[in-house]
Amino acid sequence: MVYIEEGADLDAFSSAYGITLLYPEAKILLPHALSPTVRLTINRFKDLLEKKVIRKKDLSKIERLFLVDTSNLKRAQQSVQNYLTEKTIIDIYDHHPSKLKKSGNLHLYIEKTGSATTIIVKKIVEKGVQLKPEDATLLLLGIYEDTGSFTYNITTSEDLKAAAFLLEKGADLETVRTILERRIDEKQINIVQQLIENIQYFPVKDKKIIISVAYSKEYIPDISAHLHLIKPFQEVDAFFAIINASGKISIIGRSKTKDINVGKILSFLGGGGHYAAGSAMIKGMTTQEIKTYLENILIGEFYRDQKISNIMYRNVIKVEKSRIIKELKDIIQKVPVIFVVNREGKFEGIALSKVLKESIRHGIDDIPVENFVIDNVVTFEESMPVAEAEKYLINSSQDYFPVLRKGYPVGIVSRNYLLKVLHGQVFDFEKDIFITRERIKPKYLNYREKLQQHLPDDVIQELKKIGVIAKKSGFRAYLVGGIVRDIVMKRKNLDIDIIVEGDAIELVKRYAKENNYRYYYFEEFMTAQVTLPSGLKIDFATARKEIYEYPGAYPKVRKASIKEDLYRRDFTINTLAIEITEDNFGTLIDFFNGLRDIKDKVIRILHQLSFIEDPVRILRAVRFAGRFGFKIGKMTERLLKLAVDENLLLVAPAGRVNTELSYSFNEEKVTEIIYLMNKYKILHQLIPEFVFDNKREEVINRLRDMIVTFEIFFGHKVDRVANYLLALMYHLPLDISYQILDRYHFSNGKQLFKLFFSVKGRFRRIPEKNSELYRIIKNIKKDVLVFLCSYLSNEVSERIIYLLKKEEEKKLLITGNDLKELGLKPSPLFKEILEDIFLKYLDGEIKNRKEALEYLKNKYKLNAL
């Protein structure tokens, strides 16, 4: 019996047919899924194939099993396991590399050719099997398709020899052309369009690779034959197309270079192939998981020789767990982490210097360090490949990873440094462009009048007080950050941040003492905060820069100039400063062309590793762009896309992702921000199987309007964050949604998700009567109704809003006091009567208070008022 895999192409089918010529007693077991060209071939040669095909139900014990165009023995054995015996001989004919080895019953015929059919034809020539023209034509089809009519770089001279032999035997090229020149259908066009829209570049070293994703409700056979239509696929060294057909995911890979062996890469995912072409079928993983895994494999292939030992910092501090904390006072000033070991020097865990400092500050210092040991940390062996270590960045929140050798600590690697090693090289080509930003000549403008127009008089007076003390102390003080940007843009803002060239804590102490204000300071970070009598808070920080003395180090905070401090900021529009020192009060300083970028409405980063050092800036970039209606600069956009492609958001601190998303969902222009998140594939990275289709776009737009409606008309403060999260995740099963909410610390939103999923089934059939629809919605919480009104049809939403407005009028009809005056004694019946009246009012059976009273008198035989 000849076994060919699901989705078999012409090479597999032609090879199978060739086996039946070599072994006339062999029969072909056809799979359920076949490519269109195979179906065309079967229809064209149905008379030739009539007695050569067998169905699974007609199988009996298999004496000899042939596998063609695949060496996936395990899959074949699983498919026909009930028909195999210990004596079954297995022959494999394949042109893909294989790790299988010849054994007693296993025979291998594996050669490096462009098609598997070529290997079969060589056997036919050796055995002198006689061919009819139709036999030769069917065999030639397989060779032509798999070599791209001899244009693919996997083509060998053996393929050409085999084709020449078949032509001599009468193979018909017109039939070959007719079958291979098939047209692309509408479903295939849709997949191709999606793959174009979802292209993500994944540069590794000097190679350009594309990974793209498409979705379909059904399996689309033979799509690989049309991927050459995608121009960007033609221009890169390799591409991988991931196609999700209702949860059944296939990957198609193609490569132009032996440096990127797609067959080997896809073998890690259960597939296979050769260096130029490969495929895999995967179940049980999401598209995002597969994409992430594929990227890790690619990194591993290119960085397989790089070991943790090559990048770790070796001069680590080790202390025995019995050491008393106060004895470590000097040590913990030098490093962020110390290794705690036992008497033999073996690793027991780590202790964070900042925790030990706090312990000493609170007088808890006469105890052993083992009381603060963290022992459930992820550790690396020094021989571990860097690529393998990357997966721990995604699955762990650690900032530092101890490196061990047989249980003994030998080094440390920081998360940030590992990220730079893995991903920094893709940004190197931008370096020179960003170096020039540091050389921009600063601009100085008089903003005194604009400052006074923007801020209240009492705040101006406080700033002047600070400026006077700064001048007396020999310091320089500057208003910085968003407030300066918003003064330039004439937007309201009272978040006051002050940077001090000198000593911020010393300045705050003098300022607070002179004015009897409350203040707090944090010496380690050189920051402080003052609270004014009005309740307004002013934040102070010493102008500083961060220095990483070695890969595993905490950044050392050191005093710096105002320019150095501003250079650490995220975007140029946030680098402006207004000096408030007494002798220069109101002077705006622009070191990095922030004013020009505000005028041009552009978001730009300051240096090439900005998104690597802080991936949360990806979210901030789209938030500012959406809020202000700015575009993202070309170079910044390019680096942002690369950072997203590198999956850096997956290693960003979850708490800060939570903060940024919360800010975004509370922005006035939230929809514009969400559109940008979709444009740059940010949402695809944060949310599994995310698709931004017409339905989701409609829900998001309507949700914005519904929030305004509920807050204005019903006085309900809507949980905007939970509602927008639901708008982005309503396609997911509830348990998956919960996982994402937990991952990014949005657990408070679970209640909304749970309630929505519990009630949405009630709206499968919408009753015609308003009273019946009211019964459905009356006990549903307002936040859920906000989303339902965005999710359901416009007609249903309008009816729900109408009913909620009518509910506001309920007390204008009849009250409990009216019932008492009609002679009824207070009882549970009151609630039923009032509900009865209201439901009839909703259906138009009662139109006003007068009719309500008449209805009561008639129904309950009551006296008139």
Side-chain angles (χ1 to χ4, degrees):
M1 188 209 80
V2 189
Y3 171 84
I4 53 179
E5 291 190 313
E6 290 290 326
D9 61 10
L10 260 180
D11 188 32
F13 184 71
S14 295
S15 300
Y17 181 74
I19 293 293
T20 67
L21 298 176
L22 287 167
Y23 303 91
E25 70 279 8
K27 299 284 191 270
I28 302 171
L29 178 65
L30 290 179
H32 295 293
L34 294 165
S35 72
T37 49
V38 172
R39 290 197 298 271
L40 281 172
T41 302
I42 290 173
N43 187 54
R44 167 65 179 78
F45 295 97
K46 57 185 175 183
D47 294 336
L48 198 64
L49 297 166
E50 187 177 358
K51 296 181 180 179
K52 293 183 178 289
V53 174
I54 192 171
R55 297 178 181 276
K56 201 165 187 179
K57 66 178 183 179
D58 299 323
L59 283 178
S60 56
K61 293 299 178 185
I62 299 171
E63 295 180 6
R64 192 165 196 169
L65 176 66
F66 296 92
L67 271 67
V68 291
D69 199 27
T70 178
S71 56
N72 197 325
L73 179 58
K74 184 177 180 181
R75 188 178 298 164
Q77 288 174 323
Q78 288 174 344
S79 180
V80 294
Q81 58 185 349
N82 295 334
Y83 308 98
L84 300 176
T85 70
E86 292 182 0
K87 295 182 179 180
T88 300
I89 297 171
I90 300 174
D91 292 1
I92 297 178
Y93 290 81
D94 193 17
H95 65 134
H96 303 116
S98 173
K99 294 181 180 179
L100 292 174
K101 293 183 179 179
K102 185 176 179 181
S103 60
N105 288 353
L106 179 62
H107 304 150
L108 302 177
Y109 304 93
I110 297 175
E111 297 183 30
K112 190 178 179 181
T113 55
S115 80
T117 307
T118 296
I119 303 168
I120 307 292
V121 171
K122 287 174 68 176
K123 284 287 181 185
I124 287 172
V125 173
E126 289 174 15
K127 291 195 172 186
V129 176
Q130 295 301 308
L131 300 180
K132 299 175 185 177
E134 286 197 323
D135 296 329
T137 302
L138 206 159
L139 292 168
L140 189 60
L141 277 165
I143 298 175
Y144 260 70
E145 184 180 65
D146 236 37
T147 62
S149 299
F150 309 113
T151 61
Y152 294 164
N153 57 5
I154 56 170
T155 305
T156 67
S157 59
E158 295 297 327
D159 300 299
L160 294 167
K161 290 176 186 176
F165 169 77
L166 296 172
L167 287 171
E168 289 174 4
K169 295 300 178 181
D172 181 13
L173 284 175
E174 180 62 23
T175 299
V176 172
R177 185 187 64 79
T178 302
I179 290 175
L180 293 183
E181 285 186 356
R182 57 219 176 267
R183 295 182 181 275
I184 184 168
D185 62 29
E186 188 176 344
K187 292 177 182 176
Q188 292 166 333
I189 289 173
N190 179 46
I191 294 295
V192 170
Q193 286 176 335
Q194 286 190 60
L195 290 172
I196 293 170
E197 291 171 0
N198 295 328
I199 281 175
Q200 290 190 345
Y201 289 90
F202 187 72
V204 184
K205 286 193 174 177
D206 60 337
K207 304 300 179 189
K208 293 181 181 178
I209 303 169
I210 280 176
I211 300 176
S212 190
V213 179
Y215 298 85
S216 172
K217 291 181 180 178
E218 58 185 299
Y219 174 70
I220 307 294
D222 205 35
I223 190 64
S224 61
H226 303 293
L227 297 183
H228 69 281
L229 298 172
I230 301 176
K231 191 171 186 293
F233 283 12
Q234 303 166 6
E235 298 170 345
V236 293
D237 297 294
F239 69 81
F240 294 88
I242 305 173
I243 302 170
N244 186 333
S246 296
K248 189 175 183 180
I249 301 175
S250 59
I251 306 180
I252 301 162
R254 297 289 184 269
S255 173
K256 294 179 182 176
T257 169
K258 292 182 178 179
D259 291 339
I260 308 172
N261 187 331
V262 295
K264 179 183 177 184
I265 289 165
L266 292 178
S267 70
F268 291 104
L269 287 159
H274 43 73
Y275 88 84
S279 62
M281 294 289 291
I282 304 164
K283 292 181 181 179
M285 294 175 73
T286 67
T287 306
Q288 183 60 48
E289 286 172 340
I290 292 170
K291 182 174 175 292
T292 300
Y293 191 51
L294 180 60
E295 291 169 353
N296 285 339
I297 295 168
L298 285 165
I299 291 172
E301 285 297 294
F302 279 91
Y303 292 93
R304 57 185 174 273
D305 297 328
Q306 188 88 325
K307 301 286 190 285
I308 287 294
S309 59
N310 301 133
I311 66 169
M312 70 183 185
Y313 178 71
R314 298 176 185 276
N315 296 327
V316 294
I317 303 295
K318 295 172 276 189
V319 300
E320 280 193 31
K321 60 184 180 181
S322 58
R323 286 281 299 275
I324 303 302
I325 291 176
K326 63 184 178 183
E327 298 173 2
L328 307 176
K329 188 174 182 179
D330 293 335
I331 293 174
I332 59 180
Q333 301 300 326
K334 300 176 182 177
V335 292
V337 175
I338 59 173
F339 286 0
V340 181
V341 297
N342 60 20
R343 288 183 178 179
E344 289 73 40
K346 282 203 166 185
F347 180 74
E348 294 255 329
I350 63 170
L352 300 177
S353 294
K354 61 181 179 180
V355 173
L356 299 180
K357 287 176 187 177
E358 283 298 302
S359 178
I360 292 172
R361 192 164 74 86
H362 289 288
I364 308 170
D365 57 2
D366 199 21
I367 58 174
V369 71
E370 65 179 326
N371 288 280
F372 292 102
V373 169
I374 304 170
D375 55 8
N376 58 337
V377 293
V378 175
T379 62
F380 296 156
E381 287 292 326
E382 61 179 344
S383 59
M384 178 186 287
V386 170
E388 184 181 338
E390 190 192 30
K391 64 185 178 185
Y392 295 101
L393 295 179
I394 296 172
N395 297 318
S396 169
S397 59
Q398 284 179 221
D399 288 324
Y400 302 94
F401 296 88
V403 183
L404 309 181
R405 181 192 300 151
K406 296 182 179 179
Y408 294 90
V410 292
I412 191 169
V413 177
S414 75
R415 173 188 290 271
N416 285 340
Y417 191 73
L418 186 55
L419 275 172
K420 290 181 182 182
V421 169
L422 282 166
H423 306 296
Q425 79 288 340
V426 303
F427 296 91
D428 284 345
F429 65 92
E430 312 291 355
K431 181 184 287 185
D432 292 339
I433 295 168
F434 283 92
I435 286 174
T436 60
R437 197 180 301 283
E438 295 181 72
R439 300 174 185 154
I440 294 172
K441 185 178 179 180
K443 299 178 183 65
Y444 299 91
L445 298 172
N446 186 345
Y447 255 63
R448 186 171 188 142
E449 187 175 334
K450 291 182 180 179
L451 184 65
Q452 291 174 331
Q453 289 172 352
H454 184 89
L455 297 176
D457 290 340
D458 60 334
V459 174
I460 291 291
Q461 293 309 312
E462 295 300 331
L463 294 181
K464 286 182 176 179
K465 289 178 189 177
I466 295 167
V468 169
I469 296 171
K471 175 82 178 344
K472 287 180 179 177
S473 305
F475 305 151
R476 311 301 296 180
Y478 305 86
L479 198 62
V480 297
I483 190 170
V484 181
R485 177 199 66 223
D486 289 345
I487 289 171
V488 173
M489 297 177 68
K490 298 178 181 178
R491 295 170 62 95
K492 289 184 178 180
N493 188 339
L494 269 181
D495 291 333
I496 300 177
D497 290 299
I498 293 174
I499 291 293
V500 179
E501 276 186 325
D503 190 329
I505 294 175
E506 184 62 31
L507 174 62
V508 164
K509 287 179 178 178
R510 293 178 186 177
Y511 168 57
K513 184 178 180 181
E514 283 187 17
N515 295 279
N516 197 27
Y517 293 159
R518 288 187 295 114
Y519 70 97
Y520 303 94
Y521 66 90
F522 308 92
E523 196 164 335
E524 185 176 357
F525 303 106
M526 298 192 290
T527 60
Q529 185 183 81
V530 173
T531 303
L532 304 183
S534 65
L536 182 68
K537 291 180 171 57
I538 302 178
D539 291 310
F540 295 77
T542 301
R544 62 201 188 278
K545 59 184 176 182
E546 295 171 346
I547 298 173
Y548 293 83
E549 294 190 335
Y550 52 86
Y554 266 162
K556 281 203 170 182
V557 180
R558 291 187 175 173
K559 291 181 180 180
S561 67
I562 183 67
K563 182 179 180 181
E564 288 174 309
D565 187 282
L566 293 173
Y567 188 64
R568 301 182 302 108
R569 308 280 160 152
D570 48 12
F571 310 112
T572 57
I573 64 170
N574 294 328
T575 61
L576 301 170
I578 295 177
E579 187 165 2
I580 60 171
T581 316
E582 184 183 26
D583 58 357
N584 206 26
F585 188 88
T587 299
L588 182 141
I589 308 172
D590 180 10
F591 290 106
F592 307 110
N593 275 345
L595 282 173
R596 188 188 69 185
D597 287 340
I598 289 175
K599 181 182 177 182
D600 294 343
K601 298 185 176 182
V602 178
I603 303 293
R604 300 186 201 276
I605 53 175
L606 282 89
H607 54 90
Q608 50 137 1
L609 291 179
S610 185
F611 292 123
I612 280 186
E613 290 178 347
D614 186 0
V616 175
R617 286 175 178 163
I618 296 168
L619 296 173
R620 290 174 61 81
V622 295
R623 178 160 67 85
F624 285 131
R627 178 201 288 179
F628 300 133
F630 284 14
K631 62 184 179 182
I632 296 176
K634 287 184 179 179
M635 200 61 66
T636 298
E637 182 180 56
R638 190 173 178 182
L639 293 170
L640 184 148
K641 287 179 177 178
L642 282 170
V644 173
D645 288 344
E646 292 288 316
N647 279 336
L648 296 190
L649 269 177
L650 294 181
V651 297
R656 293 189 58 221
V657 172
N658 170 289
T659 300
E660 273 306 317
L661 290 178
S662 297
Y663 284 152
S664 293
F665 296 150
N666 279 295
E667 289 276 357
E668 183 181 342
K669 295 188 176 180
V670 57
T671 52
E672 287 84 348
I673 295 169
I674 290 175
Y675 291 156
L676 288 171
M677 287 181 181
N678 174 62
K679 175 183 177 180
Y680 294 116
K681 309 300 179 189
I682 293 167
L683 294 170
H684 301 68
Q685 194 164 109
L686 298 176
I687 302 170
E689 310 299 341
F690 179 79
V691 179
F692 195 84
D693 54 15
N694 292 336
K695 170 67 175 174
R696 197 179 307 278
E697 184 174 6
E698 180 188 1
V699 168
I700 289 169
N701 281 319
R702 288 174 60 196
L703 177 58
R704 174 191 57 194
D705 298 335
M706 283 301 157
I707 288 171
V708 174
T709 298
F710 272 73
E711 291 191 338
I712 292 176
F713 286 101
F714 307 120
H716 176 73
K717 182 61 178 174
V718 177
D719 185 342
R720 296 177 179 227
V721 174
N723 263 280
Y724 278 110
L725 286 169
L726 184 52
L728 298 176
M729 293 196 284
Y730 62 77
H731 65 291
L732 294 175
L734 192 56
D735 59 332
I736 302 298
S737 299
Y738 278 7
Q739 290 175 20
I740 298 169
L741 294 174
D742 284 337
R743 182 186 307 161
Y744 295 112
H745 310 320
F746 287 112
S747 299
N748 291 341
K750 285 183 179 179
Q751 184 68 10
L752 178 66
F753 278 68
K754 181 181 178 181
L755 291 174
F756 168 70
F757 277 89
S758 68
V759 301
K760 71 174 183 175
R762 301 180 193 176
F763 297 90
R764 291 195 183 98
R765 187 191 69 80
I766 307 298
E768 293 183 10
K769 281 190 168 188
N770 280 336
S771 59
E772 293 178 14
L773 179 56
Y774 178 74
R775 284 192 181 98
I776 293 174
I777 70 167
K778 70 175 185 176
N779 292 320
I780 297 177
K781 290 189 175 182
K782 285 284 199 308
D783 266 311
V784 183
L785 289 175
V786 170
F787 188 76
L788 283 168
C789 286
S790 311
Y791 179 79
L792 300 171
S793 69
N794 279 321
E795 180 187 356
V796 176
S797 299
E798 287 171 6
R799 286 181 64 192
I800 292 174
I801 298 295
Y802 169 81
L803 294 175
L804 292 174
K805 287 180 179 178
K806 287 297 179 185
E807 191 175 44
E808 300 287 311
E809 303 169 10
K810 194 172 182 180
K811 291 182 180 179
L812 299 177
L813 283 171
I814 297 292
T815 67
N817 289 331
D818 293 330
L819 297 181
K820 290 178 190 176
E821 291 184 23
L822 285 169
L824 288 174
K825 293 182 179 180
S827 72
L829 183 62
F830 270 32
K831 186 176 181 181
E832 293 179 22
I833 293 173
L834 294 174
E835 187 75 3
D836 179 30
I837 294 287
F838 183 60
L839 293 177
K840 284 183 167 48
Y841 175 67
L842 293 179
D843 290 338
E845 296 175 23
I846 293 174
K847 297 182 175 59
N848 51 45
R849 174 179 169 81
K850 182 179 177 182
E851 290 184 11
L853 292 171
E854 286 298 322
Y855 172 76
L856 281 173
K857 287 188 292 181
N858 292 333
K859 182 170 182 178
Y860 297 99
K861 309 299 182 187
L862 301 171
N863 296 319
L865 286 171

